[in-house]
Amino acid sequence: MAGKLSTILGAQWGDEGKGKLVDILSEKYDIVARATGGANAGHSVYVGDQKFVFHLLPSGILHENTVCVIGNGLVLHIPTMFEEFEDVEAKGISIKNRIKISDRVALLFEYHKIIDGAQEDSKGGKKVGTTRRGIGPAYSDKINRRGLRLCDLKNWETFVEKYNANLAWHQKVYGFEYDSVSELKYLQEKREELLGMMTDAAFYLNSALESGKNVLLEGANAALLDIDHGTYPYVTSSSPTIGGVFTGTGMNPKYLAENIGIVKAYMTRVGSGPFPTELLDSTGEQIRTAGNEFGSTTGRPRRCGWFDVPLTKYSIMINGFNSLNLTKLDILDELDEIKIAVNYKLDGKVLASFPALLEDLEKVEVEWETLPGWKSSLKDLNTWDQLPENAKKYVLRLEELLGCPIKYIGIGQRRDQLIVR
Ligand code: GDP
Ligand code: IMO
Ligand code: MG
């Protein structure tokens, strides 16, 4: 019998807690793969008193029987990946023979970061607030058909020619000094090791699925950061929604068996752009502190706000989730009351769908519902029945408004702090 594909995708603006569920569920999977994004992602996983932050490696790496795949749809910064290898191995986890990298994956060089920074700095007050990890410039090279891919490393001489041509083009446009000698020396040193991990990943994944192996796909970034469906231009440069899973790996969609959306019990956003439910007051500060809402990648304080139903429903529609993981419910423990944004209104009319134009999104009036808090700690509970009545009411009301089952409820960072309904 063929195996199954399960996907775990960010349903809001990122940092919903994808890494935690991937880490927990990957025990049951043979392969864990990433399809999109790059080292803009920061997925934190806590195991005992150890903390791991993954930018490029799938969070499934912590289970020593899983094979981890970096799909063709990423932009790969090779030194960051090797740093992650070292970090994981230093913490006693062997990665030997467990990493496969798509031969078609786009390469992200150090100069893409310089360009990312230069583009941001030129925008004055209209900065996207990127992670400055070179994501946009590396994807631009790919889309403009002048980028390099991992398979280019097969032939070192032509790799160097292509690299020099690409760099020269960027230097002409952006006019910066650059130490290509060190970067090329590093890549030449790592070349054999990289070629050893290089795989025709689409063939590998489809063959594995066909032979009965199960694959877990770890989404990066999130739906509202999607280049097409997100709050453009305050988005990332890839497709973190369900379509990106298939273009970013080449897996056949027929294997998709389970599609889980990760939603935080309140909203957060890093970087610029409209945020209709943002809390700019002491409650926002209280949530930021309780939830430790500071970026895993950049350390920036995350903007916080109330749960946004119109936005999350839009994400559920685009992704077709069959269940949700509501994360960080415990962070709301201390609040007297909790608000939910149930509708957006524009010019006095309730909107049926999520607005495309940012000026409209900035203007929307939010219709609220207020629920009482539960004022007690959830962190040591184990089952749905043990949840306080008001916490159950909050979850059930969200489920009703969203029209999608909430199967998992996060009540802490640890692996065991997850209620499964
Ligand atoms: P990701 O990018 O979606 O993987 O999320 P991040 O790792 O950037 O941010 C989520 C943070 O919340 C991490 O530090 C997680 O350990 C933590 N987290 C995840 N789920 C829960 C939860 O249910 N409760 C609490 N308190 N923390 C959680
Ligand atoms: P994970 O996987 C939160 C945001 C950046 C910025 C915009 C564009 O940890 O959920 P980029 O560097 O991609 O060009 O930045 O997208 N962003 C994220 N925000 N979590 C992420 O990933 C993000 N990846 C990108 O903050 O606003
Ligand atoms: Mg993150």
Side-chain angles (χ1 to χ4, degrees):
M1 212 174 71
K4 69 166 189 180
L5 164 66
S6 302
T7 49
I8 291 185
L9 302 176
Q12 295 160 332
W13 271 306
D15 304 323
E16 301 90 347
K18 297 174 284 293
K20 177 186 161 188
L21 191 68
V22 171
D23 168 59
I24 293 171
L25 296 190
S26 41
E27 198 180 17
K28 298 191 207 118
Y29 289 80
D30 304 289
I31 300 167
V32 184
R34 279 268 309 263
T36 55
N40 51 353
H43 299 179
S44 305
V45 175
Y46 292 80
V47 183
D49 52 13
Q50 277 184 324
K51 179 184 179 183
F52 298 83
V53 183
F54 299 110
H55 302 289
L56 286 166
L57 269 185
S59 306
I61 195 75
L62 300 178
H63 297 279
E64 298 209 21
N65 295 324
T66 58
V67 172
C68 288
V69 175
I70 294 183
N72 57 277
L74 280 89
V75 282
L76 181 65
H77 183 247
I78 291 169
T80 302
M81 181 181 70
F82 277 100
E83 277 166 29
E84 280 180 32
F85 290 169
E86 281 166 27
D87 180 53
V88 166
E89 295 213 293
K91 289 174 179 153
I93 288 145
S94 167
I95 59 155
K96 205 165 182 310
N97 300 327
R98 296 209 291 130
I99 312 283
K100 296 194 184 290
I101 312 170
S102 169
D103 47 8
R104 289 160 171 87
V105 72
L107 299 183
L108 187 156
F109 299 112
E110 220 48 51
Y111 56 81
H112 289 117
K113 297 187 195 171
I114 296 176
I115 300 164
D116 194 352
Q119 288 180 345
E120 280 287 272
D121 292 340
S122 73
K123 287 185 180 144
K126 298 235 182 284
K127 286 185 183 39
V128 174
T130 73
T131 58
R132 296 184 179 239
R133 294 292 190 273
I135 306 297
Y139 276 117
S140 301
D141 269 0
K142 169 174 165 173
I143 300 298
N144 279 321
R145 294 156 294 185
R146 62 164 161 263
L148 278 81
R149 303 190 297 172
L150 188 67
C151 56
D152 287 314
L153 273 175
K154 275 176 93 172
N155 182 332
W156 181 248
E157 281 71 37
T158 52
F159 179 88
V160 174
E161 274 169 32
K162 289 176 193 173
Y163 170 97
N164 283 332
N166 186 256
L167 175 59
W169 188 89
H170 285 298
Q171 282 183 306
K172 205 163 124 197
V173 176
Y174 293 96
F176 56 90
E177 297 288 314
Y178 194 70
D179 180 6
S180 59
V181 176
S182 321
E183 185 160 53
L184 285 171
K185 183 167 170 280
Y186 174 85
L187 291 169
Q188 195 173 18
E189 279 165 15
K190 295 290 186 197
R191 184 169 161 266
E192 279 308 312
E193 216 176 323
L194 287 163
L195 292 178
M197 293 182 278
M198 188 169 92
T199 309
D200 180 343
F203 180 74
Y204 170 76
L205 288 165
N206 284 299
S207 310
L209 282 159
E210 199 47 44
S211 72
K213 294 223 169 9
N214 295 323
V215 179
L216 182 64
L217 189 289
E218 174 171 358
N221 325 130
L224 273 295
L225 295 172
D226 185 285
I227 187 76
D228 288 276
H229 303 293
T231 46
Y232 189 89
Y234 298 103
V235 292
T236 189
S237 301
S238 66
S239 306
T241 45
I242 189 73
V245 168
F246 301 107
T247 48
T249 58
M251 279 188 284
N252 186 321
K254 74 179 179 188
Y255 298 110
L256 182 64
E258 193 184 9
N259 182 10
I260 308 170
I262 311 293
V263 296
K264 212 180 264 190
Y266 49 93
M267 306 292 298
T268 60
R269 174 166 208 174
V270 207
S272 324
F275 186 166
T277 66
E278 184 166 16
L279 282 161
L280 297 164
D281 58 5
S282 59
T283 310
E285 199 52 56
Q286 189 183 345
I287 293 176
R288 181 161 34 253
T289 307
N292 192 23
E293 294 295 354
F294 297 90
S296 309
T297 299
T298 57
R300 289 178 289 177
R302 296 172 181 154
R303 299 156 67 192
C304 297
W306 296 119
F307 194 98
D308 187 330
V309 168
L311 177 148
T312 310
K313 266 175 91 166
Y314 170 66
S315 168
I316 294 170
M317 174 187 79
I318 302 279
N319 284 297
F321 297 127
N322 25 58
S323 67
L324 300 174
N325 173 193
L326 184 73
T327 64
K328 303 189 95 162
L329 189 62
D330 55 299
I331 302 306
L332 307 180
D333 281 352
E334 302 297 323
L335 299 177
D336 295 326
E337 47 185 37
I338 300 166
K339 284 189 172 193
I340 306 174
V342 290
N343 277 314
Y344 288 169
K345 269 180 155 178
L346 191 63
D347 304 325
K349 287 200 196 92
V350 171
L351 293 182
S353 70
F354 195 78
L357 186 68
L358 282 202
E359 288 81 355
D360 285 345
L361 186 59
E362 268 156 10
K363 273 197 315 214
V364 292
E365 235 181 281
V366 173
E367 275 189 352
W368 301 101
E369 241 177 60
T370 305
L371 270 67
W374 45 91
K375 306 283 284 177
S376 62
S377 170
L378 303 184
K379 71 178 172 43
D380 295 319
L381 307 182
N382 301 303
T383 63
W384 169 255
D385 292 337
Q386 292 169 348
L387 281 181
E389 275 316 301
N390 285 349
K392 279 188 192 156
K393 273 189 193 148
Y394 182 63
V395 176
L396 291 173
R397 183 63 183 139
L398 286 182
E399 190 172 70
E400 186 182 11
L401 288 163
L402 296 171
C404 188
I406 296 175
K407 182 171 171 191
Y408 303 97
I409 300 163
I411 50 164
Q413 290 181 325
R414 293 195 320 260
R415 282 175 172 169
D416 62 320
Q417 289 173 314
L418 184 75
I419 290 177
V420 184
R421 279 172 80 201

